[in-house]
Amino acid sequence: MPAKPLSANRWPAALAGFASVAAGLGAAELVATVLAPAASPFVVVGSFVIDLSPGWLKEFVIGVFGTADKLVLLICVGLLVAVLAAIAGVLEQLHPPMGRLLILVVGATGIAIAATRANATWTWALPSATALVVGVIVLRIMIRRLAGRFAEGDARGLAAQDRRSFLIFAGAMTLAGIVAAVAGRVATRAIQSVDAARRMFTLPPPAVAAAAVSQGAALNVPGIAPLVTANSDFYRIDTAILVPAVDPATWSLKIYGLVEKEVTLSFDELLALELEENYTTLACVSNSVGGDLIGNALWLGYPIRKLLAQANPGSAADMVLSRSIDGFTAGTPLSALTDDRNAILAVGMNGEPLPAEHGFPVRMVVPGLYGYVSATKWVTELKVTRFADDVGYWTPLGWSARGPVKLSSRIDTPRGGKSIGAGSTVIAGVAWSQHVGVSRVQVRVDDGAWKDATLADAISIDTW
């Protein structure tokens, strides 16, 4: 009978579990690269966690970590997987085959999650299945090696030579998993890169150009936000763990539901329309006081109201449920898409095709509404419906169904915690109330009187 390892020697088994799962996940990433990049176990589980998380938790995470929220989520998922893998190794050593059963249960859960994601096909189950099979096989091999080493040794554990041999094997399995995962991610980026597609076309000139910006629209105050936010600095908040890679050649938009006539539009047909150019400020509902989840950009696109006019919504309709290619939905008041505001299907951002992370090839931009009810990226469907019949992604989580932007402001300079020397100090910042406008801003220092601030010229009522 093999000598029973002491509790002090549980670490080799825990390491065996970790190395086994690492090898399995690495193999899964390679399979996902070939078959379905969005079916990566980390991506599907991360997306599932986002979907299940209550609204208050999502708001807390975004409020604390901002645009790093997805990285934090993936790190947490990775830590959880590492802990479960270590537990599987110890269980397999003490009570075989319990460790393999744990991997089987976790892997089967990953398969089920992948198979039920939006737009999933049967191939989406294969990456998680690969992780399960490889993880179980490698774990069995490593635990058998451990059992043999303990049988040849004594109760004090592995001999030095055996320890080195085991560490080399475990390290090789872990390294192989990491290399495979990185290679899979790099290959996915190369295969799915939308940069080439973005370079394939030049934005058409707008049929209706944005009005010239007044020289008085920008304040020459050090520390204040630029009037127009650069694409690289524009905030990104969405539910996509992996940025969807959408081929413009296959993209289409379908307008259906409570309409007299269904409308389908290809990307080339959209570009051929009379596109309009407008400055619009977008803000996230999770933006905290003084936060940076807000930005102003020059958008190029086609008015949604004109497309809806072609479809001719029925009199009972009061909402449009937009759907992203990754399954996200937003419920937008029909009135906000048919009135005189510049609600558009955007193809351009600050003179460039939309960046991938901001919705390439097409997204919605609707002034006056928070993004969770309007700013659908990678949009593929507009369903004309009713609030009584349909709900968007965030509404069941306790968020307002209509999401109008609230009047708000931010002091950019001086920033909180900054020391101010004696003498005069300029206080400057931004204020916004999209599609309403701002006519007056007041500032108070400590318990002093409220004083009117000097306002820059507004580009429009839709900008800060």
Side-chain angles (χ1 to χ4, degrees):
M1 291 290 292
K4 291 290 184 181
L6 302 176
S7 60
N9 292 308
R10 297 288 182 260
W11 70 264
L15 181 58
F18 178 82
S20 302
V21 172
L25 290 175
E29 288 296 334
L30 290 179
V31 174
T33 298
V34 176
L35 298 179
S40 158
F42 273 105
V43 173
V44 296
V45 171
S47 300
F48 183 70
V49 170
I50 289 178
D51 291 347
L52 286 187
S53 298
W56 65 265
L57 179 58
K58 294 179 181 180
E59 186 174 10
F60 171 78
V61 172
I62 293 173
V64 173
F65 299 105
T67 55
D69 58 335
K70 296 174 185 63
L71 175 60
V72 172
L73 171 62
L74 291 176
I75 291 174
C76 291
V77 171
L79 291 175
L80 177 60
V81 169
V83 171
L84 291 175
I87 293 174
V90 174
L91 285 176
E92 186 66 19
Q93 182 190 45
L94 296 178
H95 307 290
M98 295 305 295
R100 282 170 285 166
L101 286 177
L102 177 57
I103 293 179
L104 179 64
V105 170
V106 174
T109 301
I111 292 173
I113 293 173
T116 55
R117 300 304 298 169
N119 303 318
T121 64
W122 68 270
T123 59
W124 282 47
L126 296 181
S128 293
T130 300
L132 185 159
V133 172
V134 173
V136 166
I137 292 175
V138 175
L139 178 62
R140 183 59 178 154
I141 292 173
M142 296 193 70
I143 293 300
R144 280 185 172 179
R145 287 175 64 95
L146 275 180
R149 298 301 186 187
F150 276 115
E152 298 167 4
D154 57 31
R156 290 176 299 177
L158 292 171
Q161 182 177 355
D162 292 336
R163 187 184 300 115
R164 285 193 297 270
S165 175
F166 175 78
L167 288 176
I168 291 174
F169 187 75
M173 290 295 97
T174 303
L175 181 61
I178 294 174
V179 170
V182 172
R185 288 294 94 196
V186 172
T188 295
R189 286 180 176 271
I191 295 172
Q192 286 200 325
S193 175
V194 298
D195 289 338
R198 292 178 70 242
R199 291 193 297 267
M200 288 295 290
F201 75 96
T202 302
L203 287 177
V208 180
V213 177
S214 165
Q215 291 185 348
L219 297 178
N220 187 23
V221 177
I224 197 172
L227 180 62
V228 178
T229 309
N231 291 355
S232 58
D233 297 330
F234 208 96
Y235 76 95
R236 177 202 165 195
I237 297 292
D238 51 54
T239 62
I241 296 292
L242 182 67
V243 175
V246 184
D247 184 357
T250 61
W251 177 90
S252 66
L253 177 77
K254 180 181 178 181
I255 302 176
Y256 66 105
L258 300 177
V259 296
E260 181 179 302
K261 172 188 175 184
E262 290 191 1
V263 175
T264 302
L265 189 72
S266 70
F267 189 64
D268 286 341
E269 289 171 335
L270 176 59
L271 293 180
L273 298 175
E274 294 185 344
L275 305 183
E276 299 184 7
E277 197 177 45
N278 296 284
Y279 289 95
T280 299
T281 297
L282 298 183
C284 178
V285 69
S286 297
N287 194 34
S288 59
V289 175
D292 58 0
L293 301 183
I294 181 172
N296 183 52
L298 177 64
W299 306 94
L300 176 68
Y302 189 70
I304 297 174
R305 65 179 182 276
K306 294 184 178 180
L307 290 176
L308 289 175
Q310 295 180 30
N312 193 17
S315 58
D318 62 2
M319 187 254 270
V320 172
L321 188 72
S322 55
R323 183 177 297 275
S324 168
I325 196 170
D326 69 343
F328 171 83
T329 56
T332 309
L334 178 61
S335 58
L337 299 177
T338 54
D339 61 16
D340 61 350
R341 76 185 72 200
N342 298 315
I344 61 172
L345 288 175
V347 298
M349 182 178 182
N350 290 330
E352 301 177 3
L354 288 172
E357 63 271 19
H358 290 297
F360 180 84
V362 183
R363 65 168 293 167
M364 291 174 61
V365 174
V366 183
L369 299 179
Y370 287 119
Y372 79 93
V373 298
S374 66
T376 303
K377 303 174 184 177
W378 315 290
V379 61
T380 58
E381 292 182 7
L382 297 180
K383 178 184 179 182
V384 180
T385 180
R386 303 190 309 159
F387 279 104
D389 299 330
D390 283 296
V391 294
Y393 178 91
W394 287 97
T395 305
L397 299 176
W399 296 80
S400 166
R402 298 177 183 268
V405 171
K406 295 181 179 180
L407 171 67
S408 191
S409 62
R410 182 185 74 196
I411 294 177
D412 286 349
T413 182
R415 299 295 290 177
K418 180 180 178 181
S419 298
I420 301 174
S424 299
T425 296
V426 175
I427 300 173
V430 290
W432 60 91
S433 184
Q434 290 98 316
H435 206 59
V436 175
V438 174
S439 61
R440 188 182 185 191
V441 174
Q442 291 187 315
V443 181
R444 183 172 72 173
V445 179
D446 295 331
D447 295 326
W450 287 98
K451 297 183 178 181
D452 287 334
T454 300
L455 295 186
D457 296 335
I459 297 177
S460 73
I461 60 173
D462 292 330
T463 59
W464 61 10

